[in-house]
Amino acid sequence: TISKVLKLTHRLKPGHISLIIFSKIINVTGKYVPIVFGSIILDALVQHKPFEEILRYALIMISIAAFTSLVYWGLNHLIAVNGSVIGEKVDQMFCEKSFVIDYGILEKRETLDKIKKAQDGMNARGDFSAFSAHFASFIEHALSIIYSIILLVPLFIPKASVMSGFLPGLLNK
């Protein structure tokens, strides 16, 4: 049923799910920027590098953090607007379906019960914006776990066997 909801969401507002995923990637990345650059700044302080270089690292960290925060803020507002549009389109689908149904069928007790259950289900469990919020929260937590693993794994690798590359080299300087 999750795939049905995702397909319906994509049909009602194409790109909404991609926008949610992108916003959560930006949000989680923004949370880990100070950790990475804090490590770089601490390394530079321990190595007695020039003050200008340390200040440049701090400026880059602040700039990236500010940029990711502003982008996430803007995307969140766009996601909220898209969620409202999707909710209105679902309500419109309910109305159109009730107009299409024959009056005799619509007045049957079981048909009215099905319509009532569908509306109550959306009210009790949340609409598409609530589903989107839960889906986005899942993505955010999964990305946070992945980023944490990426940051922690090099700490447990002995320095002699460290792979070459940006992140291992960055964390094991």
Side-chain angles (χ1 to χ4, degrees):
T1 59
I2 291 176
S3 63
K4 288 181 182 178
V5 173
L6 291 174
K7 287 177 186 175
L8 181 62
T9 303
H10 179 70
R11 191 180 80 212
L12 293 175
K13 191 72 176 169
H16 182 68
I17 301 297
S18 303
L19 193 64
I20 290 173
I21 292 170
F22 182 68
S23 75
K24 290 306 172 180
I25 289 172
I26 292 290
N27 187 32
V28 173
T29 302
K31 291 178 183 176
Y32 284 92
V33 165
I35 295 171
V36 172
F37 275 96
S39 172
I40 294 170
I41 291 169
L42 285 175
D43 284 344
L45 285 171
V46 169
Q47 295 171 1
H48 301 293
K49 292 199 176 179
F51 179 72
E52 292 81 18
E53 186 176 345
I54 295 170
L55 196 56
R56 185 173 49 94
Y57 291 141
L59 185 61
I60 291 170
M61 177 185 69
I62 291 169
S63 299
I64 292 173
F67 176 75
T68 57
S69 294
L70 287 174
V71 169
Y72 179 68
W73 176 76
L75 290 176
N76 255 358
H77 285 292
L78 190 58
I79 289 169
V81 169
N82 285 348
S84 298
V85 168
I86 290 171
E88 293 298 322
K89 286 184 178 181
V90 168
D91 289 342
Q92 180 184 1
M93 289 170 61
F94 271 122
C95 290
E96 288 173 355
K97 189 68 173 177
S98 63
F99 284 133
V100 172
I101 295 177
D102 185 27
Y103 185 74
I105 295 173
L106 183 61
E107 286 299 315
K108 288 184 181 177
R109 190 75 182 143
E110 58 258 356
T111 306
L112 291 174
D113 287 341
K114 285 181 183 179
I115 292 173
K116 178 85 169 120
K117 284 181 186 178
Q119 289 175 340
D120 287 345
M122 281 190 63
N123 290 336
R125 292 183 182 89
D127 57 355
F128 279 94
S129 60
F131 173 79
S132 296
H134 290 300
F135 182 69
S137 176
F138 168 74
I139 291 171
E140 183 174 11
H141 293 307
L143 286 173
S144 185
I145 290 170
I146 291 168
Y147 282 176
S148 298
I149 290 171
I150 289 171
L151 283 175
L152 290 176
V153 165
L155 297 176
F156 297 106
I157 298 173
K159 203 164 186 136
S161 66
V162 173
M163 302 177 299
S164 64
F166 173 72
L167 191 58
L170 180 74
L171 293 175
N172 288 313
K173 279 189 178 180

Short mmCIF file of all heavy atoms in Angstrom, two decimals, residues 126-163:
data_model
loop_
_atom_site.label_atom_id
_atom_site.label_comp_id
_atom_site.label_asym_id
_atom_site.label_seq_id
_atom_site.Cartn_x
_atom_site.Cartn_y
_atom_site.Cartn_z
N GLY A 126 -4.07 10.40 9.11
CA GLY A 126 -3.42 11.53 8.48
C GLY A 126 -3.62 11.52 6.97
O GLY A 126 -3.90 10.49 6.38
N ASP A 127 -3.46 12.67 6.40
CA ASP A 127 -3.62 12.79 4.96
C ASP A 127 -2.27 12.60 4.28
O ASP A 127 -1.33 12.06 4.87
CB ASP A 127 -4.27 14.13 4.61
CG ASP A 127 -3.47 15.30 5.14
OD1 ASP A 127 -2.49 15.07 5.86
OD2 ASP A 127 -3.83 16.45 4.83
N PHE A 128 -2.15 13.05 3.06
CA PHE A 128 -0.91 12.88 2.31
C PHE A 128 0.24 13.68 2.90
O PHE A 128 1.38 13.26 2.82
CB PHE A 128 -1.12 13.26 0.84
CG PHE A 128 -1.77 12.16 0.05
CD1 PHE A 128 -3.13 12.12 -0.13
CD2 PHE A 128 -1.00 11.15 -0.48
CE1 PHE A 128 -3.72 11.11 -0.84
CE2 PHE A 128 -1.58 10.12 -1.19
CZ PHE A 128 -2.95 10.10 -1.37
N SER A 129 -0.06 14.81 3.50
CA SER A 129 1.03 15.59 4.10
C SER A 129 1.59 14.86 5.32
O SER A 129 2.80 14.89 5.56
CB SER A 129 0.55 16.99 4.47
OG SER A 129 -0.51 16.93 5.39
N ALA A 130 0.74 14.17 6.09
CA ALA A 130 1.22 13.38 7.23
C ALA A 130 2.05 12.19 6.73
O ALA A 130 3.10 11.87 7.30
CB ALA A 130 0.05 12.90 8.08
N PHE A 131 1.57 11.55 5.67
CA PHE A 131 2.35 10.44 5.09
C PHE A 131 3.69 10.94 4.60
O PHE A 131 4.73 10.31 4.82
CB PHE A 131 1.57 9.79 3.94
CG PHE A 131 2.38 8.76 3.20
CD1 PHE A 131 2.55 7.49 3.73
CD2 PHE A 131 2.98 9.08 2.00
CE1 PHE A 131 3.30 6.55 3.05
CE2 PHE A 131 3.74 8.14 1.31
CZ PHE A 131 3.90 6.87 1.85
N SER A 132 3.69 12.09 3.93
CA SER A 132 4.94 12.67 3.43
C SER A 132 5.89 12.99 4.58
O SER A 132 7.10 12.79 4.46
CB SER A 132 4.66 13.93 2.62
OG SER A 132 3.90 13.64 1.48
N ALA A 133 5.34 13.49 5.68
CA ALA A 133 6.19 13.82 6.84
C ALA A 133 6.82 12.55 7.42
O ALA A 133 8.01 12.54 7.78
CB ALA A 133 5.37 14.54 7.89
N HIS A 134 6.05 11.47 7.53
CA HIS A 134 6.59 10.21 8.04
C HIS A 134 7.63 9.63 7.07
O HIS A 134 8.67 9.12 7.50
CB HIS A 134 5.48 9.20 8.28
CG HIS A 134 4.59 9.55 9.43
ND1 HIS A 134 5.06 9.69 10.71
CD2 HIS A 134 3.26 9.77 9.50
CE1 HIS A 134 4.07 10.00 11.52
NE2 HIS A 134 2.95 10.06 10.80
N PHE A 135 7.34 9.70 5.80
CA PHE A 135 8.27 9.20 4.78
C PHE A 135 9.58 10.00 4.83
O PHE A 135 10.67 9.43 4.78
CB PHE A 135 7.61 9.29 3.40
CG PHE A 135 8.44 8.77 2.28
CD1 PHE A 135 8.70 7.42 2.17
CD2 PHE A 135 8.98 9.63 1.33
CE1 PHE A 135 9.48 6.92 1.13
CE2 PHE A 135 9.75 9.15 0.29
CZ PHE A 135 10.00 7.79 0.19
N ALA A 136 9.46 11.32 4.94
CA ALA A 136 10.64 12.18 5.01
C ALA A 136 11.44 11.90 6.28
O ALA A 136 12.68 11.90 6.25
CB ALA A 136 10.23 13.64 4.95
N SER A 137 10.76 11.66 7.38
CA SER A 137 11.45 11.36 8.63
C SER A 137 12.23 10.05 8.51
O SER A 137 13.37 9.95 9.00
CB SER A 137 10.43 11.26 9.77
OG SER A 137 11.05 10.88 10.96
N PHE A 138 11.64 9.06 7.85
CA PHE A 138 12.34 7.79 7.63
C PHE A 138 13.61 8.01 6.80
O PHE A 138 14.67 7.50 7.14
CB PHE A 138 11.41 6.80 6.93
CG PHE A 138 12.12 5.58 6.41
CD1 PHE A 138 12.56 4.59 7.27
CD2 PHE A 138 12.37 5.45 5.05
CE1 PHE A 138 13.22 3.48 6.80
CE2 PHE A 138 13.04 4.34 4.56
CZ PHE A 138 13.47 3.35 5.43
N ILE A 139 13.49 8.79 5.75
CA ILE A 139 14.65 9.06 4.88
C ILE A 139 15.72 9.81 5.66
O ILE A 139 16.91 9.50 5.57
CB ILE A 139 14.21 9.86 3.64
CG1 ILE A 139 13.37 8.98 2.73
CG2 ILE A 139 15.41 10.42 2.89
CD1 ILE A 139 12.71 9.73 1.61
N GLU A 140 15.30 10.79 6.46
CA GLU A 140 16.27 11.58 7.23
C GLU A 140 17.03 10.70 8.23
O GLU A 140 18.25 10.81 8.35
CB GLU A 140 15.54 12.70 7.97
CG GLU A 140 16.46 13.62 8.73
CD GLU A 140 15.72 14.80 9.32
OE1 GLU A 140 14.48 14.82 9.33
OE2 GLU A 140 16.40 15.72 9.80
N HIS A 141 16.32 9.82 8.92
CA HIS A 141 16.98 8.95 9.89
C HIS A 141 17.91 7.95 9.20
O HIS A 141 19.02 7.68 9.70
CB HIS A 141 15.96 8.22 10.76
CG HIS A 141 15.20 9.14 11.66
ND1 HIS A 141 15.80 10.03 12.52
CD2 HIS A 141 13.87 9.31 11.84
CE1 HIS A 141 14.89 10.70 13.18
NE2 HIS A 141 13.70 10.29 12.79
N ALA A 142 17.48 7.42 8.07
CA ALA A 142 18.33 6.47 7.34
C ALA A 142 19.61 7.16 6.85
O ALA A 142 20.71 6.61 6.97
CB ALA A 142 17.56 5.88 6.16
N LEU A 143 19.48 8.37 6.31
CA LEU A 143 20.66 9.11 5.85
C LEU A 143 21.58 9.48 7.01
O LEU A 143 22.81 9.45 6.88
CB LEU A 143 20.24 10.37 5.10
CG LEU A 143 19.68 10.16 3.70
CD1 LEU A 143 19.14 11.47 3.15
CD2 LEU A 143 20.74 9.60 2.78
N SER A 144 20.99 9.80 8.14
CA SER A 144 21.80 10.14 9.31
C SER A 144 22.61 8.93 9.77
O SER A 144 23.79 9.07 10.14
CB SER A 144 20.89 10.63 10.44
OG SER A 144 21.65 11.05 11.52
N ILE A 145 22.01 7.76 9.74
CA ILE A 145 22.74 6.54 10.09
C ILE A 145 23.87 6.29 9.10
O ILE A 145 24.99 5.96 9.49
CB ILE A 145 21.77 5.34 10.16
CG1 ILE A 145 20.85 5.48 11.37
CG2 ILE A 145 22.53 4.02 10.22
CD1 ILE A 145 19.71 4.49 11.40
N ILE A 146 23.60 6.45 7.82
CA ILE A 146 24.62 6.23 6.79
C ILE A 146 25.77 7.22 6.97
O ILE A 146 26.94 6.84 6.93
CB ILE A 146 24.00 6.34 5.38
CG1 ILE A 146 23.08 5.15 5.13
CG2 ILE A 146 25.08 6.41 4.31
CD1 ILE A 146 22.21 5.29 3.90
N TYR A 147 25.46 8.51 7.17
CA TYR A 147 26.52 9.50 7.37
C TYR A 147 27.32 9.21 8.63
O TYR A 147 28.54 9.38 8.65
CB TYR A 147 25.93 10.91 7.45
CG TYR A 147 25.54 11.53 6.12
CD1 TYR A 147 24.93 12.77 6.07
CD2 TYR A 147 25.79 10.88 4.92
CE1 TYR A 147 24.58 13.35 4.86
CE2 TYR A 147 25.44 11.46 3.71
CZ TYR A 147 24.84 12.69 3.69
OH TYR A 147 24.50 13.26 2.51
N SER A 148 26.66 8.77 9.69
CA SER A 148 27.37 8.44 10.93
C SER A 148 28.33 7.29 10.71
O SER A 148 29.46 7.31 11.21
CB SER A 148 26.37 8.08 12.03
OG SER A 148 25.54 9.16 12.32
N ILE A 149 27.88 6.28 9.99
CA ILE A 149 28.75 5.14 9.70
C ILE A 149 29.95 5.58 8.87
O ILE A 149 31.08 5.18 9.13
CB ILE A 149 27.96 4.01 9.01
CG1 ILE A 149 26.99 3.38 10.00
CG2 ILE A 149 28.88 2.96 8.42
CD1 ILE A 149 25.99 2.42 9.39
N ILE A 150 29.70 6.43 7.88
CA ILE A 150 30.79 6.92 7.04
C ILE A 150 31.81 7.70 7.88
O ILE A 150 33.02 7.59 7.65
CB ILE A 150 30.24 7.80 5.89
CG1 ILE A 150 29.52 6.93 4.87
CG2 ILE A 150 31.36 8.59 5.21
CD1 ILE A 150 28.77 7.71 3.82
N LEU A 151 31.34 8.45 8.87
CA LEU A 151 32.26 9.21 9.71
C LEU A 151 32.98 8.33 10.74
O LEU A 151 34.13 8.59 11.08
CB LEU A 151 31.51 10.32 10.44
CG LEU A 151 31.16 11.55 9.63
CD1 LEU A 151 30.33 12.51 10.45
CD2 LEU A 151 32.42 12.24 9.13
N LEU A 152 32.32 7.29 11.23
CA LEU A 152 32.90 6.48 12.30
C LEU A 152 33.80 5.36 11.82
O LEU A 152 34.75 4.99 12.51
CB LEU A 152 31.79 5.89 13.17
CG LEU A 152 31.04 6.90 14.04
CD1 LEU A 152 29.91 6.22 14.78
CD2 LEU A 152 31.99 7.56 15.02
N VAL A 153 33.54 4.79 10.66
CA VAL A 153 34.33 3.65 10.18
C VAL A 153 35.82 3.99 10.08
O VAL A 153 36.65 3.20 10.53
CB VAL A 153 33.76 3.11 8.85
CG1 VAL A 153 34.74 2.20 8.15
CG2 VAL A 153 32.45 2.38 9.12
N PRO A 154 36.21 5.13 9.52
CA PRO A 154 37.66 5.42 9.43
C PRO A 154 38.34 5.54 10.80
O PRO A 154 39.55 5.38 10.89
CB PRO A 154 37.72 6.74 8.68
CG PRO A 154 36.46 6.80 7.92
CD PRO A 154 35.44 6.11 8.77
N LEU A 155 37.58 5.82 11.84
CA LEU A 155 38.19 5.93 13.16
C LEU A 155 38.68 4.59 13.69
O LEU A 155 39.56 4.53 14.55
CB LEU A 155 37.19 6.54 14.15
CG LEU A 155 36.74 7.96 13.85
CD1 LEU A 155 35.68 8.39 14.84
CD2 LEU A 155 37.91 8.92 13.87
N PHE A 156 38.10 3.50 13.21
CA PHE A 156 38.46 2.17 13.68
C PHE A 156 39.42 1.44 12.74
O PHE A 156 39.77 0.30 12.99
CB PHE A 156 37.19 1.33 13.88
CG PHE A 156 36.30 1.90 14.94
CD1 PHE A 156 35.12 2.55 14.59
CD2 PHE A 156 36.64 1.80 16.27
CE1 PHE A 156 34.30 3.09 15.57
CE2 PHE A 156 35.83 2.34 17.25
CZ PHE A 156 34.66 2.98 16.91
N ILE A 157 39.83 2.10 11.68
CA ILE A 157 40.78 1.51 10.74
C ILE A 157 42.18 1.96 11.17
O ILE A 157 42.41 3.16 11.33
CB ILE A 157 40.49 1.95 9.30
CG1 ILE A 157 39.12 1.45 8.87
CG2 ILE A 157 41.56 1.42 8.35
CD1 ILE A 157 38.68 1.97 7.52
N PRO A 158 43.10 1.02 11.35
CA PRO A 158 44.46 1.43 11.71
C PRO A 158 45.06 2.34 10.65
O PRO A 158 44.79 2.19 9.45
CB PRO A 158 45.23 0.11 11.78
CG PRO A 158 44.18 -0.94 11.93
CD PRO A 158 42.95 -0.42 11.28
N LYS A 159 45.89 3.26 11.09
CA LYS A 159 46.41 4.28 10.19
C LYS A 159 47.26 3.70 9.06
O LYS A 159 47.29 4.23 7.97
CB LYS A 159 47.22 5.28 10.98
CG LYS A 159 47.33 6.60 10.29
CD LYS A 159 47.80 7.66 11.24
CE LYS A 159 47.74 8.97 10.52
NZ LYS A 159 47.21 10.04 11.22
N ALA A 160 47.94 2.59 9.29
CA ALA A 160 48.79 2.01 8.25
C ALA A 160 47.98 1.44 7.10
O ALA A 160 48.44 1.41 5.96
CB ALA A 160 49.66 0.90 8.85
N SER A 161 46.75 1.01 7.35
CA SER A 161 45.96 0.39 6.29
C SER A 161 44.83 1.29 5.80
O SER A 161 43.90 0.81 5.19
CB SER A 161 45.37 -0.93 6.78
OG SER A 161 44.44 -0.66 7.81
N VAL A 162 44.92 2.57 6.06
CA VAL A 162 43.86 3.49 5.65
C VAL A 162 43.87 3.62 4.13
O VAL A 162 44.92 3.78 3.51
CB VAL A 162 44.06 4.87 6.30
CG1 VAL A 162 43.08 5.87 5.74
CG2 VAL A 162 43.89 4.75 7.79
N MET A 163 42.67 3.53 3.56
CA MET A 163 42.55 3.69 2.11
C MET A 163 42.81 5.15 1.74
O MET A 163 42.58 6.04 2.54
CB MET A 163 41.13 3.32 1.66
CG MET A 163 40.70 1.94 2.01
SD MET A 163 39.00 1.62 1.54
CE MET A 163 38.14 2.84 2.49
#
